Amino acid sequence: MSKVTDLLGSQYPIIQGAMGVICNPELVAAVSEAGGFGLLATAFAEDVEAVREQAKVTKKLTNKPSGANLFMMNPLTENFAKVLAEEGIRTVTVSGGSPKALIPLLRDLGLKVIVVVPTVEVAKGAEGLGADAVVAEGSESGGVQGFKGVSTMVLVPAVVDEVNIPVIAAGGISDSCGYKAALALGAEGVQIGTRFIATKECIAHAVYKNTIVAAADTGTGLVNMLRFQIRALRTTLVERLLKGQESSMPDFTWQAMEDSWIKGDLEAGVLPAGQVAGRISTILSVREIIKEIVA
Amino acid sequence: MSKVTDLLGSQYPIIQGAMGVICNPELVAAVSEAGGFGLLATAFAEDVEAVREQAKVTKKLTNKPSGANLFMMNPLTENFAKVLAEEGIRTVTVSGGSPKALIPLLRDLGLKVIVVVPTVEVAKGAEGLGADAVVAEGSESGGVQGFKGVSTMVLVPAVVDEVNIPVIAAGGISDSCGYKAALALGAEGVQIGTRFIATKECIAHAVYKNTIVAAADTGTGLVNMLRFQIRALRTTLVERLLKGQESSMPDFTWQAMEDSWIKGDLEAGVLPAGQVAGRISTILSVREIIKEIVA
């Protein structure tokens, strides 16, 4: 057992990254069943009972451990944490802002805490706040990004040099070569997002999966959201946003994401993905992906 | 011998990246003497005889193979290639534009050609033009960058998947863990720039070396040069440029670079460096660096 599998209770130190409305219980359970650690996403959840329901369904599908992500910009985060603990979740990741105010509650609830960090400074801060581990997320990752991003190749060993808690690498990883590279950089585990969208178990619409499969290495761009950026696939909507031809970004609501990510309406919202979309050319089962990574 | 050491004639598949006015013959020779492959830079050279002189001095300092970079934006590139071949150089790297017009001449001169590529598409093009190898340069690298950069973690395996010639990884590599990660990604060698500035042998001013040593992982930024960008250390000049407080970038002339890079005038020009500056905290000899990488 590595420190990370010990922390997660999983067979392999492979976390499925939390991704908006498409971390359906079937996907999360499939990852945990295959030896990884599935994560429910709560970032855009609008009520506590929806989160409880997702945790309950996941638990029916697998008796292996799974977790959830808490996103600091969601005002219901504390309530979600309580519900997740009640439903038997033992480990959460925290992203989207400082976990300072939240960590004492998570400790009281008996939850293990993994903080997602974009820089060495934030990683040291998380360690100081009592995080059990960090996910060092390189700027090639999909979804929410800051403006001073550092690539996985630099960030992971830089964080490993500066903290004493386990470091989990994220950003640019989709297969065994990325996994081995992450371990060479000093990481003790990996978090993988985009690769798990292009799976049979993910609820994302075929148009989302196929856009990932079709993407080249240059197939993503950073869409400005004022306080942060979103790395997303270069759909025609994203190309217009990048060229300044749209007055504003579609709202990032649950409804907009459901319409674009699950119903396949490419004008309703952007489709987040990491640069690693350029290395994904198949839609596989979660088990096939994890088997190849650890082979 | 690997395919890359065979191509270079060096002991290790480690190329010292070409860097403007600071690839002094002492640095280039020290890299080759330590088992790597030193490169003279000709990007900003203003006459053929200066290039010839640098090649001659390098040859006096080492009888081990070294090479040179040819930068397509320099109008004298063809003349430089002839002089380099006359002075016994057998392998060149080509960057800064399409090598299509140049490759037939390089072949006639008996030179081996390694093309620096930022994307899979350009890598495939280089293979099609007859390149002997490519340097897949991730967007975390210092110096000239395009606008659709891909990180090393994604770019290297993506290029490895698509070409049959050897792939040399660049971007984010400064030590043995980066070297091992690059090999895990499928590269057969590495090119390292920034780490070789913070050496005893490099002619760069102490202020340049010390700015690298002091830099955090977030210590570089991309300065817009209209047709391309430059990744440079966040000096006060760069911070002003990034905030739009300067009407224009200082000209990128030999004189401006000499004043800033060699004489240490931080207002005369920007100091290019990769994100990996954040992992460099010592000024070492070239031999110490290469010894650690291959240990």
Side-chain angles (χ1 to χ4, degrees):
Chain A
M1 292 274 274
S2 76
K3 275 179 266 177
V4 173
T5 53
D6 205 23
L7 183 60
L8 303 173
S10 61
Q11 187 178 357
Y12 307 119
I14 300 171
I15 302 175
Q16 160 252 312
M19 302 171 292
V21 296
I22 53 171
C23 286
N24 47 304
E26 293 74 14
L27 174 64
V28 173
V31 171
S32 291
E33 277 293 305
F37 189 74
L39 280 190
L40 291 168
T42 68
F44 301 93
E46 289 168 354
D47 69 83
V48 171
E49 289 315 309
V51 170
R52 187 188 300 279
E53 179 62 18
Q54 294 241 315
K56 278 191 189 297
V57 175
T58 305
K59 213 158 53 173
K60 276 187 197 154
L61 296 170
T62 180
N63 58 16
K64 300 222 164 79
S66 63
N69 171 253
L70 297 169
F71 192 70
M72 295 306 298
M73 293 185 212
N74 188 316
L76 296 175
T77 296
E78 288 189 16
N79 306 42
F80 295 159
K82 287 175 196 160
V83 164
L84 292 166
E86 283 165 19
E87 295 303 325
I89 279 177
R90 301 263 62 88
T91 307
V92 293
T93 66
V94 183
S95 61
S98 171
K100 190 171 180 178
L102 189 64
I103 284 186
L105 170 68
L106 300 179
R107 287 273 166 250
D108 286 348
L109 293 169
L111 291 166
K112 299 282 186 188
V113 185
I114 302 172
V115 180
V116 182
V117 302
T119 66
V120 169
E121 189 183 353
V122 178
K124 287 162 78 172
E127 182 178 41
L129 292 170
D132 295 289
V134 288
V135 172
E137 187 178 70
S139 54
E140 52 271 79
S141 300
V144 176
Q145 289 289 323
F147 291 94
K148 278 195 171 182
V150 182
S151 80
T152 299
M153 198 80 175
V154 173
L155 180 66
V156 170
V159 171
V160 168
D161 285 348
E162 295 287 340
V163 302
N164 294 309
I165 51 179
V167 177
I168 296 154
I173 304 164
S174 64
D175 65 2
S176 58
C177 87
Y179 180 67
K180 288 188 191 107
L183 299 184
L185 296 172
E188 297 183 61
V190 295
Q191 178 172 288
I192 295 175
T194 307
R195 175 67 272 196
F196 287 124
I197 303 176
T199 55
K200 291 170 185 164
E201 294 88 345
C202 182
I203 199 176
H205 192 275
V207 80
Y208 195 167
K209 298 178 187 180
N210 291 337
T211 307
I212 290 172
V213 165
D217 53 338
T218 55
T220 67
L222 288 166
V223 178
N224 199 321
M225 302 280 289
L226 298 179
R227 283 175 60 199
F228 53 90
Q229 306 172 98
I230 298 279
R231 183 176 294 286
L233 294 161
R234 288 178 174 269
T235 55
T236 56
L237 169 63
V238 166
E239 291 288 5
R240 293 202 309 276
L241 286 163
L242 293 174
K243 286 176 189 151
Q245 294 169 347
E246 290 281 326
S247 58
S248 69
M249 171 89 174
D251 284 341
F252 230 54
T253 59
W254 184 283
Q255 189 60 49
M257 284 188 292
E258 200 166 82
D259 289 346
S260 50
W261 302 11
I262 299 176
K263 296 183 183 163
D265 177 355
L266 293 178
E267 289 296 313
V270 306
L271 304 179
Q275 289 184 350
V276 81
R279 296 204 58 239
I280 296 167
S281 55
T282 49
I283 295 167
L284 299 174
S285 72
V286 164
R287 188 172 292 277
E288 287 171 297
I289 292 166
I290 292 181
K291 201 174 157 189
E292 189 277 333
I293 291 172
V294 298
Chain B
M1 293 272 275
S2 76
K3 276 179 264 177
V4 172
T5 53
D6 206 23
L7 184 60
L8 304 172
S10 61
Q11 188 178 355
Y12 307 120
I14 301 171
I15 301 176
Q16 158 252 312
M19 301 172 291
V21 297
I22 52 171
C23 286
N24 48 304
E26 293 74 16
L27 173 64
V28 174
V31 171
S32 291
E33 278 292 305
F37 190 74
L39 280 191
L40 291 167
T42 69
F44 300 94
E46 289 168 353
D47 68 82
V48 172
E49 290 315 308
V51 171
R52 188 188 300 280
E53 179 63 18
Q54 294 239 316
K56 276 190 189 299
V57 175
T58 305
K59 213 159 53 172
K60 277 186 196 155
L61 295 170
T62 180
N63 57 15
K64 300 224 164 78
S66 63
N69 171 254
L70 296 169
F71 191 70
M72 294 309 296
M73 293 185 211
N74 188 315
L76 295 174
T77 296
E78 289 190 16
N79 306 42
F80 296 159
K82 288 175 195 161
V83 164
L84 293 166
E86 283 166 19
E87 295 303 324
I89 279 177
R90 303 263 61 90
T91 308
V92 294
T93 66
V94 183
S95 61
S98 170
K100 189 171 181 180
L102 189 64
I103 284 185
L105 171 68
L106 300 179
R107 286 274 167 250
D108 287 348
L109 293 169
L111 292 166
K112 298 282 185 188
V113 185
I114 301 172
V115 179
V116 181
V117 302
T119 65
V120 168
E121 189 183 355
V122 178
K124 287 162 79 173
E127 181 179 41
L129 292 170
D132 296 289
V134 289
V135 172
E137 188 178 69
S139 54
E140 52 271 80
S141 300
V144 176
Q145 288 290 322
F147 291 93
K148 278 196 170 181
V150 182
S151 80
T152 299
M153 198 79 175
V154 174
L155 179 66
V156 170
V159 171
V160 168
D161 285 348
E162 295 288 339
V163 302
N164 294 308
I165 50 178
V167 177
I168 296 154
I173 305 164
S174 65
D175 65 3
S176 59
C177 86
Y179 181 67
K180 287 190 191 105
L183 299 184
L185 295 173
E188 297 183 59
V190 295
Q191 177 172 289
I192 295 175
T194 307
R195 174 67 273 195
F196 286 125
I197 304 176
T199 56
K200 290 169 185 164
E201 294 88 345
C202 182
I203 199 176
H205 192 276
V207 80
Y208 195 168
K209 298 179 187 180
N210 292 336
T211 307
I212 290 171
V213 165
D217 53 337
T218 55
T220 67
L222 287 166
V223 178
N224 199 321
M225 302 282 287
L226 299 180
R227 283 177 59 198
F228 53 90
Q229 306 172 98
I230 297 279
R231 182 176 295 286
L233 294 161
R234 288 179 174 268
T235 55
T236 56
L237 169 62
V238 166
E239 291 288 6
R240 292 202 309 276
L241 286 163
L242 292 173
K243 285 176 191 151
Q245 293 169 347
E246 291 281 325
S247 57
S248 68
M249 171 89 173
D251 283 341
F252 230 54
T253 61
W254 185 283
Q255 189 61 49
M257 285 189 291
E258 199 166 83
D259 289 347
S260 50
W261 302 10
I262 300 177
K263 294 183 183 163
D265 177 356
L266 293 179
E267 289 296 313
V270 305
L271 304 179
Q275 289 184 351
V276 81
R279 297 204 56 238
I280 296 167
S281 56
T282 50
I283 295 168
L284 300 174
S285 72
V286 163
R287 188 171 292 277
E288 287 172 296
I289 291 165
I290 292 182
K291 200 173 157 188
E292 189 277 335
I293 291 172
V294 298

